Amino acid sequence: MPYLERFSAVALSALDSHAQRYWREWALALFAALCFALSFHLLLGAPARFPRGATLVLAKGTSLPAAAAELAEAGVIRHPRVFEAFVRLSGADRALKAGAYRFVAPENALTVALRLMAGQSGIPDVSVTFTEGESVRQMAAQVAALFPLVSASDFIAAAGPYEGQLFPDTYRFSPEASAADIAEKLRATFALKLATLAPSIQDSGRSLSDIIIMASIVQDEVSNPADQRAVAGVLWNRIEKGMPLQVDATFGYLEDKPEHVPTAAELAIDSPYNTYKYKGLPPTPIGNPGLSALAAAADPATTSYLYYLTGTDGLMHYATTYAGHEANIEAYLR
């Protein structure tokens, strides 16, 4: 018999002898592996009703047992006690991080536990755009719709005292951002933008508070930067002459109705925001102005105009006398 054939025969004989000798051990190992896989699936595998694509919120201060129960009820894990045991054995008892968690695809209980201990939300950063002139109440509606952990009332409480100083722009935040986090970012951006206008503000001779209030009115009245400077000039002229501002924008803020035109009854409302009834600026900004409106309020156009209106032609029309204003009304609004 050739050498290779003899070697192959010997090798096969040895393998056959090994298999015969250890087949029980191999069978037991295979059985143990199958039992382990089955146990892992039954105890730690994702439930059949796993909420694919769902976002769940773990409230701050939630205990480990309560969190496990919530996860089981939502279909994220099978056995809350097994989940608790793994977390406790990891040495991270009661260290689950509060926040919103998104579950795109089924995950086993170990993966879920590790994510909650690490605070891995699975939610991408949230992009939000605040439009120039929006009030805190309008911003709050956007924030509440985009951030699971923040309610409209939370944002109003955090940002309300800074109406007018929340810079409108596009921002990106962590989905776990709090109302205070968002408000602070908007305030910090406002401070940076306002710093570019420092010379104009100083030269204006007016207080920063008055400039911000005026800018919020100008922002609501007109959007074109050139017209903003002209309108700011008109409104400052009216204040200096002791005339009421008579702007409709403050009623939109008072009634929480953007672009609201006041009714005859509303013109009689006894409120410091009624600029037909009370002279001077309202007590607070009526929204959050952009940079061009702030620049216009700080450095208005030098003009003798005392009246303005937006015509049906989409253009601004100015007058120095009420008779001239009436003529503009007749020509451009009727």
Side-chain angles (χ1 to χ4, degrees):
M1 179 181 293
Y3 173 77
L4 287 177
E5 291 182 6
R6 288 201 306 274
F7 178 79
S8 298
V10 171
L12 289 172
S13 176
L15 287 172
D16 184 56
S17 175
H18 179 83
Q20 290 179 10
R21 183 176 178 182
Y22 294 104
W23 71 269
R24 287 186 178 84
E25 286 81 354
W26 284 107
L28 286 173
L30 178 61
F31 179 73
L34 290 174
C35 287
F36 176 80
L38 180 61
S39 298
F40 184 92
H41 175 72
L42 292 176
L43 293 175
L44 300 171
R49 62 188 186 94
F50 192 93
R52 296 170 181 264
T55 298
L56 303 180
V57 177
L58 183 64
K60 187 175 181 180
T62 303
S63 67
L64 176 57
E70 287 182 22
L71 292 167
E73 184 178 355
V76 176
I77 60 174
R78 291 174 183 268
H79 302 288
R81 294 288 179 84
V82 175
F83 179 86
E84 285 184 57
F86 173 76
V87 175
R88 294 184 192 281
L89 287 172
S90 72
D93 186 13
R94 293 184 298 277
L96 300 183
K97 295 187 177 179
Y101 294 87
R102 184 169 176 78
F103 299 94
V104 177
E107 300 174 3
N108 64 61
L110 300 185
T111 301
V112 173
L114 291 171
R115 278 187 58 191
L116 268 62
M117 286 187 281
Q120 297 173 351
S121 70
I123 306 175
D125 285 349
V126 178
S127 177
V128 55
T129 299
F130 298 110
T131 304
E132 293 176 343
E134 283 187 322
S135 69
V136 167
R137 286 173 295 191
Q138 291 171 291
M139 289 178 165
Q142 283 184 270
V143 170
L146 292 172
F147 295 87
L149 301 180
V150 183
S151 67
S153 59
D154 289 338
F155 185 76
I156 290 172
Y162 308 105
E163 185 83 84
Q165 301 176 52
L166 307 168
F167 195 77
D169 205 343
T170 297
Y171 297 87
R172 294 189 70 84
F173 295 99
S174 161
E176 299 171 5
S178 66
D181 294 333
I182 299 169
E184 180 57 35
K185 178 63 175 178
L186 270 62
R187 289 181 61 203
T189 305
F190 177 84
L192 286 174
K193 299 291 185 179
L194 193 68
T196 65
L197 302 178
S200 296
I201 294 171
Q202 185 172 0
D203 293 343
S204 73
R206 300 184 174 98
S207 71
L208 177 59
S209 175
D210 284 355
I211 287 173
I212 294 173
I213 294 172
M214 177 60 80
S216 72
I217 295 172
V218 169
Q219 183 72 72
D220 202 298
E221 290 285 287
V222 62
S223 59
N224 181 280
D227 286 328
Q228 286 178 336
R229 290 193 69 231
V231 167
V234 170
L235 295 178
W236 284 127
N237 283 348
R238 293 182 70 88
I239 287 177
E240 289 168 5
K241 291 182 177 297
M243 301 171 65
L245 290 179
Q246 295 184 323
V247 292
D248 295 345
T250 55
F251 288 92
Y253 183 75
L254 183 62
E255 300 292 326
D256 196 17
K257 298 175 182 177
E259 301 181 9
H260 176 62
V261 177
T263 63
E266 288 171 336
L267 291 177
I269 291 175
D270 187 14
S271 166
Y273 290 94
N274 184 344
T275 55
Y276 283 77
K277 188 177 183 67
Y278 290 92
K279 297 178 181 179
L281 292 167
T284 70
I286 62 170
N288 293 279
L291 191 61
S292 64
L294 287 163
D299 184 24
T302 300
T303 178
S304 58
Y305 292 134
L306 292 172
Y307 302 90
Y308 65 86
L309 60 81
T310 304
T312 54
D313 56 2
L315 301 177
M316 300 298 296
H317 301 278
Y318 303 91
T320 56
T321 64
Y322 187 67
H325 183 57
E326 286 186 313
N328 284 339
I329 292 174
E330 188 65 32
Y332 299 109
L333 291 181
R334 294 174 181 169

